[in-house]
Amino acid sequence: MTGETVEELEIQLLLDALYRQYHYDFRHYARASIKRRLLQAQRHFGLDSISALQSAVLHDETMLPNLLNYLTVQVSEMFRDPSYYKSLREKVVPHLHTYPSLKVWVAGCSHGEELYSLAILFREEGLLDKTIFYATDINPAALKAAQAGIYPLDRIRQFTENHRLSGGHSSLSDYYSADYGRAVFDKSLRARTVFSDHSLVTDAAFAEMHLISCRNVLIYFDKELQERVIGLFAESLARRGFLGIGSKESLRFSSHADRFTEHAREDRIYRRKGR
Amino acid sequence: MTCELVAIGASAGGVQALSHVLPMLAADYPRAIAIVVHVPPRRKNALVKLFSEKCRMRVKEAEDKEPLRPGTIYFAPPDYHLLVETDHTLALSTEEPVNHSRPAIDVLFETAADAFGPDVTGVIMTGANHDGASGLQAIAGRGGTALIQDPATAEMAAMPEAAAQACEGAQILTLDEIAAYLADMVEP
Ligand SMILES: C[S@@+](CC[C@H](N)C(=O)[O-])C[C@H]1O[C@@H](n2cnc3c(N)ncnc32)[C@H](O)[C@@H]1O
């Protein structure tokens, strides 16, 4: 291992400062990616060093939202990895039908792509009216976008193709109206959704879920933080509740792995054990 | 204990170029090799199967948080960036494409330079874009070794040319020479 460089030290100090001043805790995020994004932010703000970035954000709170957009990765897609949604339809939905009411948590919901995908799937499968969705994120701008449910029309072709591959048995165009180059999703899809600011790092469990979908969020955390978050999911799930994570994420190396069974291995869907 | 790293970037024509070099390395090759090949995003990773059959080294798709091991070749999965952490584990990310690519060679090379300093060798092979040029420069800048496939022998010259321009200290070699260099530099 090469010794800590000045830049790495500056990054550590900036992350400490963000936590102490604003209670945003990125200290245990995967470091190589955080470093790339902080250097992008530094360039964007035209600053000479990470220390200068730290000073700027400590003295000017209005920089924070912008910096958060660098520190969090907002890349998403509706029905991303269609086979994940197909698996939910085929292997999870039949179990969900047996409950009188459902709670579903979309953790790290970004601009809402995953939430609307699930809401559409739940409507198609006749589950939407008995479900409460919780959509959470730490990035206020992302939450606001999720609440609006509006996407550029040029993304719709990809979304439609994904939806079809996921086994969708309606047309995606049933769920949005086109308006000046934007697709505005039907607000009835989110009528029973609670949007809230919740951090997987610093906040606690808040309800008992039947399904948690948290895709491509764990990948940004280091091992230690992943442990905490997987533990939080285990606590938040009802017995025999389901957990879906990203296609390159896994519970395999977690100490909590034995609290789950693999329900759809390839699609990274796990089930909380009964006891 | 960790080993040294070889990081390779290849684009158009890359499968053939890699087929020339990787099978020459021994099963107990004492370094880890991490590779980004530009492939279409929604394709299953055919590279692992292809090169498992050709190579003596172990070949696998890179997994998030996986420690780098000697004698092993890691391919970036389609649609994910591949990064190296300072504790010599691999990381994946769905960040925006870089140079229109995900995975991007620059992302692998820049993080490898940070993590390995002089203990990494970067290799740029054939390709029709400019990805990897600034990453190779970063590797050389941190004291690592920079190798470039001779553009005159590459199926697509643009990528090695861009790398050669960005990274003056790099050695320009044929594929045979690259293979020999990689194999030799680990002999006692
Ligand atoms: C790459 S996006 C994933 C979007 C979507 N789940 C998907 O897979 O397409 C990661 C999201 O996680 C959010 N995030 C990052 N850290 C978080 C934390 N500590 N708690 C909750 N959400 C977080 C980011 O703001 C971002 O919206």
Side-chain angles (χ1 to χ4, degrees), chain A residues 216-236:
Chain A
N216 303 306
V217 182
L218 290 174
I219 208 171
Y220 295 104
F221 298 165
D222 73 11
K223 267 211 167 117
E224 199 180 319
L225 182 51
Q226 285 187 352
E227 276 298 289
R228 175 200 198 259
V229 175
I230 294 166
L232 178 67
F233 290 156
E235 275 162 42
S236 303

Side-chain angles (χ1 to χ4, degrees), chain B residues 29-60:
Chain B
Y29 189 67
R31 300 162 182 245
I33 302 185
I35 306 182
V36 164
V37 183
H38 294 151
V39 286
R42 266 153 238 287
R43 199 71 63 73
K44 274 240 164 177
N45 203 344
L47 295 169
V48 170
K49 188 166 180 298
L50 182 74
F51 284 98
S52 301
E53 285 161 9
K54 291 181 192 243
C55 294
R56 289 174 282 167
M57 291 176 69
R58 196 165 78 100
V59 179
K60 68 185 298 297

Side-chain angles (χ1 to χ4, degrees), chain A residues 1-2 30-33 35-37 73 75 77 80 158 216 219-222 226 247-248 252, chain B residues 42 61 63-65 77 80 83-87 92-96 98 102 107 110 114-115 142:
Chain A
M1 215 173 293
T2 47
R31 199 47 75 87
S33 165
K35 176 174 177 186
R36 280 178 43 76
R37 288 180 274 128
V73 173
V75 177
E77 221 173 75
R80 170 189 194 143
Q158 182 72 64
N216 303 306
I219 208 171
Y220 295 104
F221 298 165
D222 73 11
Q226 285 187 352
S247 61
K248 300 296 175 202
R252 200 161 25 128
Chain B
R42 266 153 238 287
E61 187 174 88
E63 291 179 66
D64 189 46
K65 311 278 183 278
Y80 285 81
L83 302 83
V84 182
E85 295 285 354
T86 52
D87 66 358
L92 301 177
S93 138
T94 60
E95 278 159 76
E96 292 77 3
V98 172
R102 189 173 57 207
V107 174
E110 282 164 16
D114 277 346
R142 298 288 295 265

